[in-house]
PDB file of all heavy atoms in Angstrom:
ATOM      1  N   GLN A  93       2.882  88.323 148.421  1.00  0.00           N
ATOM      2  CA  GLN A  93       2.615  87.342 147.360  1.00  0.00           C
ATOM      3  C   GLN A  93       3.847  87.016 146.587  1.00  0.00           C
ATOM      4  O   GLN A  93       4.034  85.918 146.109  1.00  0.00           O
ATOM      5  CB  GLN A  93       1.498  87.876 146.426  1.00  0.00           C
ATOM      6  CG  GLN A  93       0.108  87.866 146.978  1.00  0.00           C
ATOM      7  CD  GLN A  93      -0.887  88.501 146.011  1.00  0.00           C
ATOM      8  OE1 GLN A  93      -0.506  89.202 145.083  1.00  0.00           O
ATOM      9  NE2 GLN A  93      -2.154  88.268 146.295  1.00  0.00           N
ATOM     10  N   LEU A  94       4.688  88.007 146.410  1.00  0.00           N
ATOM     11  CA  LEU A  94       5.919  87.787 145.633  1.00  0.00           C
ATOM     12  C   LEU A  94       7.079  87.215 146.496  1.00  0.00           C
ATOM     13  O   LEU A  94       8.200  87.158 146.031  1.00  0.00           O
ATOM     14  CB  LEU A  94       6.349  89.112 144.949  1.00  0.00           C
ATOM     15  CG  LEU A  94       5.465  89.597 143.856  1.00  0.00           C
ATOM     16  CD1 LEU A  94       5.912  90.980 143.366  1.00  0.00           C
ATOM     17  CD2 LEU A  94       5.366  88.596 142.699  1.00  0.00           C
ATOM     18  N   GLY A  95       6.736  86.861 147.715  1.00  0.00           N
ATOM     19  CA  GLY A  95       7.750  86.270 148.598  1.00  0.00           C
ATOM     20  C   GLY A  95       8.631  87.213 149.332  1.00  0.00           C
ATOM     21  O   GLY A  95       9.637  86.840 149.874  1.00  0.00           O
ATOM     22  N   GLY A  96       8.242  88.486 149.380  1.00  0.00           N
ATOM     23  CA  GLY A  96       8.994  89.493 150.082  1.00  0.00           C
ATOM     24  C   GLY A  96       8.373  89.878 151.404  1.00  0.00           C
ATOM     25  O   GLY A  96       7.384  89.290 151.843  1.00  0.00           O
ATOM     26  N   GLU A  97       8.951  90.850 152.061  1.00  0.00           N
ATOM     27  CA  GLU A  97       8.475  91.384 153.328  1.00  0.00           C
ATOM     28  C   GLU A  97       8.224  92.870 153.173  1.00  0.00           C
ATOM     29  O   GLU A  97       9.132  93.629 152.796  1.00  0.00           O
ATOM     30  CB  GLU A  97       9.477  91.129 154.425  1.00  0.00           C
ATOM     31  CG  GLU A  97       9.767  89.690 154.690  1.00  0.00           C
ATOM     32  CD  GLU A  97      10.719  89.465 155.859  1.00  0.00           C
ATOM     33  OE1 GLU A  97      11.147  90.443 156.508  1.00  0.00           O
ATOM     34  OE2 GLU A  97      11.151  88.314 156.001  1.00  0.00           O
ATOM     35  N   PRO A  98       6.994  93.323 153.452  1.00  0.00           N
ATOM     36  CA  PRO A  98       6.723  94.787 153.388  1.00  0.00           C
ATOM     37  C   PRO A  98       7.515  95.463 154.499  1.00  0.00           C
ATOM     38  O   PRO A  98       7.573  95.036 155.583  1.00  0.00           O
ATOM     39  CB  PRO A  98       5.228  94.889 153.579  1.00  0.00           C
ATOM     40  CG  PRO A  98       4.767  93.595 154.211  1.00  0.00           C
ATOM     41  CD  PRO A  98       5.831  92.545 153.825  1.00  0.00           C
ATOM     42  N   ASP A  99       8.125  96.591 154.127  1.00  0.00           N
ATOM     43  CA  ASP A  99       8.962  97.348 155.031  1.00  0.00           C
ATOM     44  C   ASP A  99       8.188  98.538 155.575  1.00  0.00           C
ATOM     45  O   ASP A  99       8.009  99.541 154.918  1.00  0.00           O
ATOM     46  CB  ASP A  99      10.252  97.818 154.289  1.00  0.00           C
ATOM     47  CG  ASP A  99      11.244  98.473 155.218  1.00  0.00           C
ATOM     48  OD1 ASP A  99      10.885  98.735 156.423  1.00  0.00           O
ATOM     49  OD2 ASP A  99      12.391  98.692 154.797  1.00  0.00           O
ATOM     50  N   PHE A 100       7.739  98.396 156.805  1.00  0.00           N
ATOM     51  CA  PHE A 100       6.971  99.427 157.477  1.00  0.00           C
ATOM     52  C   PHE A 100       7.855 100.208 158.462  1.00  0.00           C
ATOM     53  O   PHE A 100       7.362 100.970 159.270  1.00  0.00           O
ATOM     54  CB  PHE A 100       5.797  98.847 158.265  1.00  0.00           C
ATOM     55  CG  PHE A 100       4.657  98.380 157.352  1.00  0.00           C
ATOM     56  CD1 PHE A 100       4.607  97.101 156.887  1.00  0.00           C
ATOM     57  CD2 PHE A 100       3.656  99.283 157.014  1.00  0.00           C
ATOM     58  CE1 PHE A 100       3.548  96.683 156.067  1.00  0.00           C
ATOM     59  CE2 PHE A 100       2.603  98.866 156.200  1.00  0.00           C
ATOM     60  CZ  PHE A 100       2.542  97.565 155.744  1.00  0.00           C
ATOM     61  N   SER A 101       9.157 100.017 158.444  1.00  0.00           N
ATOM     62  CA  SER A 101      10.045 100.630 159.430  1.00  0.00           C
ATOM     63  C   SER A 101       9.954 102.156 159.386  1.00  0.00           C
ATOM     64  O   SER A 101      10.257 102.782 158.360  1.00  0.00           O
ATOM     65  CB  SER A 101      11.482 100.223 159.201  1.00  0.00           C
ATOM     66  OG  SER A 101      12.337 100.901 160.057  1.00  0.00           O
ATOM     67  N   PRO A 102       9.586 102.774 160.507  1.00  0.00           N
ATOM     68  CA  PRO A 102       9.509 104.200 160.544  1.00  0.00           C
ATOM     69  C   PRO A 102      10.933 104.855 160.470  1.00  0.00           C
ATOM     70  O   PRO A 102      11.058 106.018 160.055  1.00  0.00           O
ATOM     71  CB  PRO A 102       8.847 104.541 161.895  1.00  0.00           C
ATOM     72  CG  PRO A 102       8.966 103.307 162.700  1.00  0.00           C
ATOM     73  CD  PRO A 102       9.140 102.150 161.787  1.00  0.00           C
ATOM     74  N   ASP A 103      11.932 104.081 160.814  1.00  0.00           N
ATOM     75  CA  ASP A 103      13.320 104.676 160.829  1.00  0.00           C
ATOM     76  C   ASP A 103      13.780 105.034 159.415  1.00  0.00           C
ATOM     77  O   ASP A 103      14.593 105.963 159.229  1.00  0.00           O
ATOM     78  CB  ASP A 103      14.311 103.654 161.397  1.00  0.00           C
ATOM     79  CG  ASP A 103      14.046 103.379 162.889  1.00  0.00           C
ATOM     80  OD1 ASP A 103      13.437 104.281 163.539  1.00  0.00           O
ATOM     81  OD2 ASP A 103      14.478 102.347 163.396  1.00  0.00           O
ATOM     82  N   THR A 104      13.306 104.344 158.377  1.00  0.00           N
ATOM     83  CA  THR A 104      13.765 104.602 157.023  1.00  0.00           C
ATOM     84  C   THR A 104      12.625 105.052 156.095  1.00  0.00           C
ATOM     85  O   THR A 104      12.865 105.156 154.873  1.00  0.00           O
ATOM     86  CB  THR A 104      14.443 103.345 156.460  1.00  0.00           C
ATOM     87  OG1 THR A 104      13.458 102.252 156.485  1.00  0.00           O
ATOM     88  CG2 THR A 104      15.678 102.971 157.240  1.00  0.00           C
ATOM     89  N   LEU A 105      11.504 105.266 156.636  1.00  0.00           N
ATOM     90  CA  LEU A 105      10.329 105.531 155.796  1.00  0.00           C
ATOM     91  C   LEU A 105      10.526 106.732 154.825  1.00  0.00           C
ATOM     92  O   LEU A 105      10.304 106.587 153.650  1.00  0.00           O
ATOM     93  CB  LEU A 105       9.095 105.787 156.706  1.00  0.00           C
ATOM     94  CG  LEU A 105       7.739 105.807 156.064  1.00  0.00           C
ATOM     95  CD1 LEU A 105       7.435 104.433 155.410  1.00  0.00           C
ATOM     96  CD2 LEU A 105       6.681 106.132 157.084  1.00  0.00           C
ATOM     97  N   THR A 106      10.940 107.872 155.357  1.00  0.00           N
ATOM     98  CA  THR A 106      11.061 109.029 154.516  1.00  0.00           C
ATOM     99  C   THR A 106      12.210 108.884 153.489  1.00  0.00           C
ATOM    100  O   THR A 106      12.132 109.489 152.401  1.00  0.00           O
ATOM    101  CB  THR A 106      11.181 110.296 155.299  1.00  0.00           C
ATOM    102  OG1 THR A 106      12.315 110.205 156.189  1.00  0.00           O
ATOM    103  CG2 THR A 106       9.939 110.624 156.117  1.00  0.00           C
ATOM    104  N   SER A 107      13.211 108.177 153.832  1.00  0.00           N
ATOM    105  CA  SER A 107      14.306 108.020 152.873  1.00  0.00           C
ATOM    106  C   SER A 107      13.965 107.069 151.741  1.00  0.00           C
ATOM    107  O   SER A 107      14.497 107.142 150.656  1.00  0.00           O
ATOM    108  CB  SER A 107      15.629 107.538 153.587  1.00  0.00           C
ATOM    109  OG  SER A 107      15.408 106.257 154.113  1.00  0.00           O
ATOM    110  N   ARG A 108      13.018 106.192 151.942  1.00  0.00           N
ATOM    111  CA  ARG A 108      12.577 105.267 150.899  1.00  0.00           C
ATOM    112  C   ARG A 108      11.422 105.845 150.076  1.00  0.00           C
ATOM    113  O   ARG A 108      11.165 105.379 148.984  1.00  0.00           O
ATOM    114  CB  ARG A 108      12.157 103.889 151.513  1.00  0.00           C
ATOM    115  CG  ARG A 108      13.319 103.088 152.056  1.00  0.00           C
ATOM    116  CD  ARG A 108      12.908 101.774 152.673  1.00  0.00           C
ATOM    117  NE  ARG A 108      12.164 102.000 153.942  1.00  0.00           N
ATOM    118  CZ  ARG A 108      10.884 101.688 154.160  1.00  0.00           C
ATOM    119  NH1 ARG A 108      10.174 101.187 153.204  1.00  0.00           N
ATOM    120  NH2 ARG A 108      10.326 101.926 155.299  1.00  0.00           N
ATOM    121  N   SER A 109      10.742 106.778 150.639  1.00  0.00           N
ATOM    122  CA  SER A 109       9.571 107.400 149.966  1.00  0.00           C
ATOM    123  C   SER A 109      10.001 108.329 148.854  1.00  0.00           C
ATOM    124  O   SER A 109      10.967 109.073 149.003  1.00  0.00           O
ATOM    125  CB  SER A 109       8.766 108.144 150.997  1.00  0.00           C
ATOM    126  OG  SER A 109       7.736 108.891 150.354  1.00  0.00           O
ATOM    127  N   HIS A 110       9.270 108.294 147.751  1.00  0.00           N
ATOM    128  CA  HIS A 110       9.514 109.260 146.688  1.00  0.00           C
ATOM    129  C   HIS A 110       8.949 110.613 147.064  1.00  0.00           C
ATOM    130  O   HIS A 110       9.524 111.629 146.702  1.00  0.00           O
ATOM    131  CB  HIS A 110       8.897 108.778 145.388  1.00  0.00           C
ATOM    132  CG  HIS A 110       9.534 107.503 144.879  1.00  0.00           C
ATOM    133  ND1 HIS A 110       9.023 106.809 143.791  1.00  0.00           N
ATOM    134  CD2 HIS A 110      10.699 106.851 145.231  1.00  0.00           C
ATOM    135  CE1 HIS A 110       9.777 105.776 143.579  1.00  0.00           C
ATOM    136  NE2 HIS A 110      10.802 105.765 144.408  1.00  0.00           N
ATOM    137  N   ALA A 111       7.842 110.633 147.764  1.00  0.00           N
ATOM    138  CA  ALA A 111       7.211 111.872 148.215  1.00  0.00           C
ATOM    139  C   ALA A 111       7.842 112.337 149.530  1.00  0.00           C
ATOM    140  O   ALA A 111       8.319 111.534 150.304  1.00  0.00           O
ATOM    141  CB  ALA A 111       5.743 111.704 148.341  1.00  0.00           C
ATOM    142  N   GLU A 112       7.757 113.624 149.780  1.00  0.00           N
ATOM    143  CA  GLU A 112       8.251 114.186 151.007  1.00  0.00           C
ATOM    144  C   GLU A 112       7.074 114.402 151.988  1.00  0.00           C
ATOM    145  O   GLU A 112       5.942 114.495 151.602  1.00  0.00           O
ATOM    146  CB  GLU A 112       8.907 115.540 150.723  1.00  0.00           C
ATOM    147  CG  GLU A 112      10.110 115.443 149.811  1.00  0.00           C
ATOM    148  CD  GLU A 112      10.632 116.791 149.439  1.00  0.00           C
ATOM    149  OE1 GLU A 112       9.904 117.462 148.665  1.00  0.00           O
ATOM    150  OE2 GLU A 112      11.739 117.175 149.897  1.00  0.00           O
ATOM    151  N   TYR A 113       7.435 114.498 153.235  1.00  0.00           N
ATOM    152  CA  TYR A 113       6.479 114.838 154.290  1.00  0.00           C
ATOM    153  C   TYR A 113       6.707 116.301 154.554  1.00  0.00           C
ATOM    154  O   TYR A 113       7.661 116.694 155.197  1.00  0.00           O
ATOM    155  CB  TYR A 113       6.672 114.022 155.550  1.00  0.00           C
ATOM    156  CG  TYR A 113       5.700 114.329 156.631  1.00  0.00           C
ATOM    157  CD1 TYR A 113       4.560 113.625 156.789  1.00  0.00           C
ATOM    158  CD2 TYR A 113       5.943 115.381 157.521  1.00  0.00           C
ATOM    159  CE1 TYR A 113       3.660 113.901 157.752  1.00  0.00           C
ATOM    160  CE2 TYR A 113       5.026 115.667 158.506  1.00  0.00           C
ATOM    161  CZ  TYR A 113       3.873 114.962 158.649  1.00  0.00           C
ATOM    162  OH  TYR A 113       2.984 115.269 159.649  1.00  0.00           O
ATOM    163  N   VAL A 114       5.787 117.180 154.087  1.00  0.00           N
ATOM    164  CA  VAL A 114       5.873 118.614 154.306  1.00  0.00           C
ATOM    165  C   VAL A 114       4.637 119.040 155.017  1.00  0.00           C
ATOM    166  O   VAL A 114       3.504 118.787 154.532  1.00  0.00           O
ATOM    167  CB  VAL A 114       6.048 119.371 152.961  1.00  0.00           C
ATOM    168  CG1 VAL A 114       6.083 120.872 153.222  1.00  0.00           C
ATOM    169  CG2 VAL A 114       7.267 118.912 152.197  1.00  0.00           C
ATOM    170  N   ALA A 115       4.809 119.645 156.190  1.00  0.00           N
ATOM    171  CA  ALA A 115       3.679 120.025 157.037  1.00  0.00           C
ATOM    172  C   ALA A 115       2.771 121.055 156.414  1.00  0.00           C
ATOM    173  O   ALA A 115       1.542 120.885 156.460  1.00  0.00           O
ATOM    174  CB  ALA A 115       4.207 120.501 158.402  1.00  0.00           C
ATOM    175  N   GLY A 116       3.293 122.037 155.824  1.00  0.00           N
ATOM    176  CA  GLY A 116       2.449 123.111 155.182  1.00  0.00           C
ATOM    177  C   GLY A 116       1.984 124.109 156.287  1.00  0.00           C
ATOM    178  O   GLY A 116       1.452 123.696 157.257  1.00  0.00           O
ATOM    179  N   ALA A 117       2.184 125.374 156.001  1.00  0.00           N
ATOM    180  CA  ALA A 117       1.892 126.391 157.043  1.00  0.00           C
ATOM    181  C   ALA A 117       0.477 126.958 156.851  1.00  0.00           C
ATOM    182  O   ALA A 117      -0.129 127.420 157.836  1.00  0.00           O
ATOM    183  CB  ALA A 117       2.846 127.585 156.895  1.00  0.00           C
ATOM    184  N   SER A 118      -0.124 126.809 155.650  1.00  0.00           N
ATOM    185  CA  SER A 118      -1.441 127.350 155.403  1.00  0.00           C
ATOM    186  C   SER A 118      -2.210 126.278 154.619  1.00  0.00           C
ATOM    187  O   SER A 118      -1.675 125.342 154.176  1.00  0.00           O
ATOM    188  CB  SER A 118      -1.356 128.628 154.588  1.00  0.00           C
ATOM    189  OG  SER A 118      -0.887 128.340 153.283  1.00  0.00           O
ATOM    190  N   LEU A 119      -3.526 126.508 154.503  1.00  0.00           N
ATOM    191  CA  LEU A 119      -4.333 125.584 153.752  1.00  0.00           C
ATOM    192  C   LEU A 119      -3.868 125.482 152.313  1.00  0.00           C
ATOM    193  O   LEU A 119      -3.781 124.401 151.755  1.00  0.00           O
ATOM    194  CB  LEU A 119      -5.843 126.013 153.821  1.00  0.00           C
ATOM    195  CG  LEU A 119      -6.819 125.051 153.209  1.00  0.00           C
ATOM    196  CD1 LEU A 119      -6.742 123.644 153.871  1.00  0.00           C
ATOM    197  CD2 LEU A 119      -8.262 125.649 153.340  1.00  0.00           C
ATOM    198  N   SER A 120      -3.518 126.611 151.750  1.00  0.00           N
ATOM    199  CA  SER A 120      -3.008 126.631 150.376  1.00  0.00           C
ATOM    200  C   SER A 120      -1.688 125.837 150.281  1.00  0.00           C
ATOM    201  O   SER A 120      -1.550 125.044 149.327  1.00  0.00           O
ATOM    202  CB  SER A 120      -2.756 128.071 149.924  1.00  0.00           C
ATOM    203  OG  SER A 120      -2.179 128.102 148.685  1.00  0.00           O
ATOM    204  N   ASP A 121      -0.806 125.984 151.261  1.00  0.00           N
ATOM    205  CA  ASP A 121       0.454 125.207 151.263  1.00  0.00           C
ATOM    206  C   ASP A 121       0.149 123.698 151.362  1.00  0.00           C
ATOM    207  O   ASP A 121       0.772 122.899 150.688  1.00  0.00           O
ATOM    208  CB  ASP A 121       1.299 125.588 152.482  1.00  0.00           C
ATOM    209  CG  ASP A 121       1.951 126.931 152.363  1.00  0.00           C
ATOM    210  OD1 ASP A 121       1.932 127.528 151.218  1.00  0.00           O
ATOM    211  OD2 ASP A 121       2.435 127.493 153.410  1.00  0.00           O
ATOM    212  N   MET A 122      -0.794 123.330 152.213  1.00  0.00           N
ATOM    213  CA  MET A 122      -1.182 121.928 152.336  1.00  0.00           C
ATOM    214  C   MET A 122      -1.691 121.331 151.070  1.00  0.00           C
ATOM    215  O   MET A 122      -1.265 120.249 150.629  1.00  0.00           O
ATOM    216  CB  MET A 122      -2.209 121.749 153.467  1.00  0.00           C
ATOM    217  CG  MET A 122      -1.725 122.081 154.826  1.00  0.00           C
ATOM    218  SD  MET A 122      -3.092 122.002 155.986  1.00  0.00           S
ATOM    219  CE  MET A 122      -2.387 122.900 157.373  1.00  0.00           C
ATOM    220  N   ILE A 123      -2.531 122.070 150.427  1.00  0.00           N
ATOM    221  CA  ILE A 123      -3.086 121.575 149.136  1.00  0.00           C
ATOM    222  C   ILE A 123      -1.929 121.435 148.133  1.00  0.00           C
ATOM    223  O   ILE A 123      -1.824 120.396 147.453  1.00  0.00           O
ATOM    224  CB  ILE A 123      -4.161 122.563 148.564  1.00  0.00           C
ATOM    225  CG1 ILE A 123      -5.355 122.609 149.478  1.00  0.00           C
ATOM    226  CG2 ILE A 123      -4.568 122.203 147.158  1.00  0.00           C
ATOM    227  CD1 ILE A 123      -6.321 123.779 149.180  1.00  0.00           C
ATOM    228  N   ARG A 124      -1.102 122.455 148.054  1.00  0.00           N
ATOM    229  CA  ARG A 124       0.024 122.406 147.100  1.00  0.00           C
ATOM    230  C   ARG A 124       0.978 121.244 147.375  1.00  0.00           C
ATOM    231  O   ARG A 124       1.362 120.549 146.466  1.00  0.00           O
ATOM    232  CB  ARG A 124       0.755 123.744 147.124  1.00  0.00           C
ATOM    233  CG  ARG A 124       1.732 123.960 146.025  1.00  0.00           C
ATOM    234  CD  ARG A 124       2.283 125.354 145.992  1.00  0.00           C
ATOM    235  NE  ARG A 124       1.262 126.383 145.866  1.00  0.00           N
ATOM    236  CZ  ARG A 124       0.614 126.711 144.798  1.00  0.00           C
ATOM    237  NH1 ARG A 124       0.898 126.095 143.663  1.00  0.00           N
ATOM    238  NH2 ARG A 124      -0.322 127.660 144.769  1.00  0.00           N
ATOM    239  N   GLU A 125       1.319 121.043 148.609  1.00  0.00           N
ATOM    240  CA  GLU A 125       2.249 119.949 148.962  1.00  0.00           C
ATOM    241  C   GLU A 125       1.620 118.616 148.655  1.00  0.00           C
ATOM    242  O   GLU A 125       2.312 117.671 148.201  1.00  0.00           O
ATOM    243  CB  GLU A 125       2.657 120.066 150.434  1.00  0.00           C
ATOM    244  CG  GLU A 125       3.619 121.184 150.721  1.00  0.00           C
ATOM    245  CD  GLU A 125       4.867 121.200 149.889  1.00  0.00           C
ATOM    246  OE1 GLU A 125       5.387 120.079 149.517  1.00  0.00           O
ATOM    247  OE2 GLU A 125       5.374 122.257 149.538  1.00  0.00           O
ATOM    248  N   ASN A 126       0.349 118.450 148.934  1.00  0.00           N
ATOM    249  CA  ASN A 126      -0.321 117.178 148.596  1.00  0.00           C
ATOM    250  C   ASN A 126      -0.388 116.972 147.080  1.00  0.00           C
ATOM    251  O   ASN A 126      -0.209 115.910 146.598  1.00  0.00           O
ATOM    252  CB  ASN A 126      -1.739 117.119 149.189  1.00  0.00           C
ATOM    253  CG  ASN A 126      -1.672 116.920 150.705  1.00  0.00           C
ATOM    254  OD1 ASN A 126      -0.907 116.115 151.172  1.00  0.00           O
ATOM    255  ND2 ASN A 126      -2.519 117.618 151.417  1.00  0.00           N
ATOM    256  N   LEU A 127      -0.595 118.054 146.335  1.00  0.00           N
ATOM    257  CA  LEU A 127      -0.627 117.978 144.894  1.00  0.00           C
ATOM    258  C   LEU A 127       0.794 117.613 144.346  1.00  0.00           C
ATOM    259  O   LEU A 127       0.869 116.787 143.426  1.00  0.00           O
ATOM    260  CB  LEU A 127      -1.115 119.304 144.290  1.00  0.00           C
ATOM    261  CG  LEU A 127      -1.178 119.339 142.743  1.00  0.00           C
ATOM    262  CD1 LEU A 127      -1.972 118.196 142.150  1.00  0.00           C
ATOM    263  CD2 LEU A 127      -1.794 120.731 142.324  1.00  0.00           C
ATOM    264  N   VAL A 128       1.804 118.218 144.899  1.00  0.00           N
ATOM    265  CA  VAL A 128       3.178 117.869 144.493  1.00  0.00           C
ATOM    266  C   VAL A 128       3.426 116.399 144.710  1.00  0.00           C
ATOM    267  O   VAL A 128       3.917 115.654 143.857  1.00  0.00           O
ATOM    268  CB  VAL A 128       4.223 118.715 145.204  1.00  0.00           C
ATOM    269  CG1 VAL A 128       5.661 118.165 145.075  1.00  0.00           C
ATOM    270  CG2 VAL A 128       4.167 120.137 144.728  1.00  0.00           C
TER     271      VAL A 128
END
Side-chain angles (χ1 to χ4, degrees):
Q93 286 175 344
L94 292 174
E97 296 181 9
D99 188 348
F100 287 92
S101 173
D103 294 338
T104 59
L105 193 61
T106 56
S107 65
R108 290 180 288 115
S109 171
H110 295 170
E112 298 172 291
Y113 180 95
V114 180
S118 66
L119 187 58
S120 176
D121 288 345
M122 292 175 198
I123 295 167
R124 190 171 305 282
E125 288 304 327
N126 286 318
L127 180 53
V128 166

